[in-house]
Amino acid sequence: MEFNINNICCIGAGFVGGPTMAVIADNCPGIQINVVDINTERIKRWNDEDLSKLPIYEKGLESIIKKCRGKNLHFSNKIEENLKVADMIFISVNTPTKIKGLGAGKASDLKWIEASTRQIAKNAKDNVIVVEKSTLPVRTADTVKKILNSQSEKNSRINYKRNFYVLSNPEFLAEGTAIENLQNPDRVLIGGDNEEAINALRKIYKKWIDNKKILQTNLWSSELSKLTANAFLAQRISSINSLTALCESTGADIKEVVMAIGMDTRIGSRFLEPGPGFGGSCFKKDILNLIYICDYYGLKEVSSYWQKVLELNSWQKSRISNLIVDKLFGTLSGKKICILGFAFKANTNDTRESPAIDICNSLLEEGANLSIYDPRVSLKQIAKDLNEDNTIDAKIGLDTGKWTYEESIFSAANEADAIVILTEWNEFKNMDWKKISIIMRRPSWVFDTRLISDLEDNNLFGINIWKIGYGI
Ligand code: UDX
Ligand code: ADP
C-alpha cells in the first residue's frame, strides 16, 4: 500500500500540536495542515491577527505562523470536516493524570484520547495513518486500534470496513525551545508495524531531518521510550537537588560538584542545574504513569525506585518554604514576600506543575503576603493555580496570607522582607540591588533557588542571601 500524504489533520492545538504542525507546515509547503481543537477560545487566539496573542509563546513560532497560516496551515474548530479529508491524523490531545476512579493519582486519563479516536473512527476515510503524538501509557496504541477497527464496520456513513494504520511518534520537544527542538531534534522516533505507513511519516520528517536520526521501533518500545526519557531526565534533577541539601550541610559547593561530575563524559554536563524542583506537564505525569505500569505488572521494587524521584522533588519544594520561614524568625505572618518567577522554567508562560505553586501555597499558609511578578505569566493563570488549592480557601479567615500580582520587579520588591527567585528568567540575573536594597524592609533576604543572581554573599547593600546548594 503506497501512501500519498497531501492533507494532515492534527487533533489538539496545544503546546505539542501547535508548534509541531507549524514546523511541519514550514518544511512541507505541499501538504495542507489543519489543526483542530474543541477549545474555541484557543483556536481564536491561534488565528489572531496580533501574533503576540498566540496561545503559546515560543521563540521562532510567530514568524512561522506569519509565513504559513492561511496558506498550508489552518487552525479551526471544524473537527469532523477536517478529519474527513485527512490522509494522516495526529492525536495531540492532553493526557493528564487521572484524578478519580481506578488508577487515580497515577494512571493517565485517556478520555480525551478515546474521544478523539472515536471522532476519527466516525469520520476518517479509508487507509488513514493515525499518529499518536501525545505521551501515552505503553500499549495505548492497542486501545486506539481496537476503537478504530470496531467503529469502522459500524459506521452508517461509510458502509465498508476501513483500514487504519496506527503509529507512535512521541514528541521530545521542551517548552521554551520547542521550535529549535523540532527543527533540529536529537532523534525522531517512529513506532509501528506497517513499513509503508512508517515510511510515509519518515518521508515527511526527511524534508528537514537527516534520515539517520529517524529511528524505527516497535509500537511498545516507542511508547515506553518516551516515558523513560522523561523519567531519566527527572531523575537527574532529583539527584542533583538531593545533593544541594548535602552541600548546604557540609560546605561543599554545588556548582563545583556539578562541574566535576559533568566533565565525566559518561555522565555529561547537561540537565544538572539545581533548582526548586522540576515542574512542567510531563515529568511528574510520566513517572506516575511508569509507576502505575510497574505496579500493574507486580514490579514493586521498580515502582518504588521511581516513586523516590517524585518524593525527592516534593521534598525539595517543602524544604525551601520551610527554610524561608526559618530564616525569617519562624513566622511569616504579616510579612511581605516578593516572588520572582511563577512559570515552571524560563522562556515559557506555562505554569503546569510549577514549583512556584506549591511554594507559594506553603508561604500563604504560613500567613505571608506575596507579591508575585513573572514576565510572561498572566494574573488569570496565577489566580487559577493558587485558588485551586482548597486547603487555602478553607483556611481563609484564619491566618492565611494574601497575594497580589505585580507588573515589575520593583513594585513586587517594594517594602518586601524577602525576595524568592523561583524561575531563572534573564531579567533576574542582574538586578539593581542598590535600588532594591533601599525599597525593601530590613533585615532583607534574597532566596535564590536557581543560582542565577549576581548578588554576592557579603554585598555592600546589607542584603542577606541564601543560595541553593550553598551553606554554612
Ligand atoms: C520535558 C522534556 O525535556 C521534553 O523532552 C519532553 O518532551 C517534555 O518534558 P519541559 O517540561 O518543556 O520538557 O521542560 P524541561 O526543560 O525538561 O524542564 C523540566 C523541569 O526541570 C523544569 O521545571 C526545569 O526548571 C527543571 N530543570 C531542568 C532543572 O531543575 N534543572 C535542569 O538542569 C533542567
Ligand atoms: P499538550 O501539552 O499535550 O499539547 P495541551 O493541554 O496544551 O496539551 O493541549 C491539548 C489540546 O487538546 C487542548 O487544547 C484541548 O482542548 C485539545 N483536545 C482535547 N480533547 C480533544 C478532542 N476530543 N477534540 C479536539 N481537541 C481536543
Side-chain angles (χ1 to χ4, degrees):
M1 163 85 212
E2 206 182 316
F3 296 93
N4 241 332
I5 310 297
N6 298 312
N7 188 301
I8 289 178
C9 179
C10 172
I11 310 182
F15 280 89
V16 173
T20 309
M21 292 305 124
V23 170
I24 295 182
D26 192 23
N27 288 288
C28 306
I31 302 180
Q32 282 297 316
I33 300 181
N34 292 295
V35 189
V36 296
D37 204 297
I38 33 174
N39 184 333
T40 44
E41 177 57 32
R42 196 168 242 193
I43 291 297
K44 215 167 111 199
R45 289 179 65 190
W46 276 113
N47 284 323
D48 206 303
E49 283 296 314
D50 178 356
L51 292 174
S52 71
K53 299 236 170 75
L54 294 181
I56 290 162
Y57 167 72
E58 283 293 343
K59 199 164 158 248
L61 179 63
E62 285 183 16
S63 63
I64 300 181
I65 298 293
K66 197 170 164 192
K67 184 174 155 201
C68 303
R69 194 176 61 190
K71 296 195 180 89
N72 68 328
L73 179 65
H74 315 273
F75 295 90
S76 91
N77 299 112
K78 292 177 187 152
I79 302 175
E80 300 206 343
E81 269 171 67
N82 285 306
L83 284 177
K84 280 176 191 164
V85 292
D87 305 310
M88 181 179 270
I89 299 168
F90 284 79
I91 308 181
S92 271
V93 299
N94 34 335
T95 50
T97 306
K98 266 181 103 168
I99 48 174
K100 56 182 184 190
L102 190 67
K106 285 188 185 154
S108 279
D109 195 336
L110 296 181
K111 70 176 175 219
W112 290 278
I113 291 284
E114 185 172 335
S116 33
T117 308
R118 286 184 190 280
Q119 283 167 316
I120 298 172
K122 196 167 154 227
N123 297 290
K125 48 187 197 186
D126 195 14
N127 292 320
V128 159
I129 301 175
V130 177
V131 185
E132 296 176 345
K133 212 28 156 169
S134 316
T135 308
L136 295 166
V138 185
R139 305 203 77 92
T140 305
D142 240 1
T143 313
V144 171
K145 274 184 189 169
K146 274 184 195 140
I147 297 174
L148 292 175
N149 292 333
S150 62
Q151 288 277 318
S152 76
E153 283 165 288
K154 267 187 70 187
N155 196 328
S156 55
R157 190 176 65 86
I158 303 162
N159 51 13
Y160 60 91
K161 184 165 170 25
R162 286 160 301 150
N163 291 308
F164 291 101
Y165 301 87
V166 179
L167 301 177
S168 158
N169 173 223
E171 188 43 68
F172 295 97
L173 66 82
E175 284 174 34
T177 50
I179 302 300
E180 193 186 317
N181 297 151
L182 285 160
Q183 257 154 359
N184 188 19
D186 286 346
R187 79 304 204 184
V188 169
L189 197 52
I190 307 179
D193 47 23
N194 182 288
E195 203 66 29
E196 283 92 355
I198 292 173
N199 282 337
L201 184 55
R202 180 187 288 273
K203 199 170 153 196
I204 293 174
Y205 284 117
K206 265 171 57 180
K207 292 262 189 241
W208 75 100
I209 297 162
D210 186 345
N211 194 31
K212 286 201 251 20
K213 282 189 176 177
I214 307 174
L215 300 185
Q216 184 174 337
T217 66
N218 75 32
L219 271 170
W220 327 127
S221 308
S222 169
E223 289 178 337
L224 184 61
S225 301
K226 169 68 189 187
L227 291 186
T228 318
N230 279 342
F232 262 62
L233 291 169
Q235 178 212 45
R236 267 173 90 86
I237 301 167
S238 279
S239 298
I240 207 65
N241 284 344
S242 75
L243 292 172
T244 57
L246 192 57
C247 286
E248 286 159 31
S249 300
T250 58
D253 177 317
I254 191 69
K255 274 197 177 162
E256 289 175 359
V257 175
V258 165
M259 171 99 76
I261 62 174
M263 282 174 78
D264 185 324
T265 50
R266 291 168 303 175
I267 298 172
S269 60
R270 294 174 64 194
F271 243 75
L272 286 176
E273 304 277 349
F278 55 77
S281 68
C282 291
F283 285 177
K284 184 174 170 196
K285 181 190 78 172
D286 290 352
I287 294 179
L288 284 170
N289 220 320
L290 201 57
I291 292 170
Y292 183 72
I293 300 167
C294 295
D295 283 340
Y296 177 82
Y297 288 105
L299 302 167
K300 291 275 170 229
E301 282 72 15
V302 186
S303 75
S304 59
Y305 173 77
W306 290 107
Q307 182 70 44
K308 279 284 164 211
V309 173
L310 291 179
E311 284 171 21
L312 200 289
N313 199 49
S314 299
W315 179 74
Q316 181 78 339
K317 293 182 267 189
S318 56
R319 127 183 147 74
I320 289 171
S321 36
N322 290 345
L323 72 86
I324 294 173
V325 179
D326 191 50
K327 297 276 189 211
L328 298 185
F329 311 118
T331 175
L332 299 186
S333 189
K335 288 185 181 150
K336 178 170 170 182
I337 310 230
C338 157
I339 302 291
L340 294 186
F342 201 84
F344 78 96
K345 64 175 186 178
N347 304 320
T348 176
N349 58 351
D350 194 350
T351 62
R352 287 178 289 179
E353 298 295 337
S354 175
I357 301 172
D358 285 347
I359 293 174
C360 286
N361 275 331
S362 303
L363 299 177
L364 287 169
E365 274 190 49
E366 290 288 339
N369 292 325
L370 306 182
S371 49
I372 306 173
Y373 169 70
D374 186 290
R376 289 269 169 200
V377 181
S378 66
L379 164 64
K380 202 168 145 198
Q381 187 58 49
I382 295 177
K384 193 166 162 251
D385 291 332
L386 292 184
N387 298 338
E388 250 170 23
D389 187 340
N390 299 326
T391 59
I392 295 289
D393 285 347
K395 285 188 188 137
I396 281 179
L398 298 176
D399 199 15
T400 315
K402 307 240 175 323
W403 62 271
T404 56
Y405 179 80
E406 304 291 340
E407 302 280 353
S408 75
I409 296 175
F410 294 109
S411 65
N414 194 33
E415 292 286 308
D417 296 275
I419 293 175
V420 187
I421 303 174
L422 292 179
T423 313
E424 73 283 22
W425 285 104
N426 256 338
E427 60 185 276
F428 304 153
K429 286 184 180 158
N430 309 299
M431 299 196 281
D432 185 346
W433 289 113
K434 189 171 174 196
K435 188 168 166 193
I436 290 173
S437 71
I438 296 167
I439 58 174
M440 284 180 81
R441 283 208 324 170
R442 301 245 162 175
S444 340
W445 274 93
V446 169
F447 296 88
D448 180 1
T449 71
R450 293 281 188 173
L451 289 187
I452 57 155
S453 168
D454 63 350
L455 188 64
E456 304 284 339
D457 275 344
N458 292 313
N459 56 79
L460 295 173
F461 317 111
I463 302 175
N464 300 299
I465 175 142
W466 175 89
K467 294 181 193 166
I468 202 152
Y470 288 83
I472 57 177

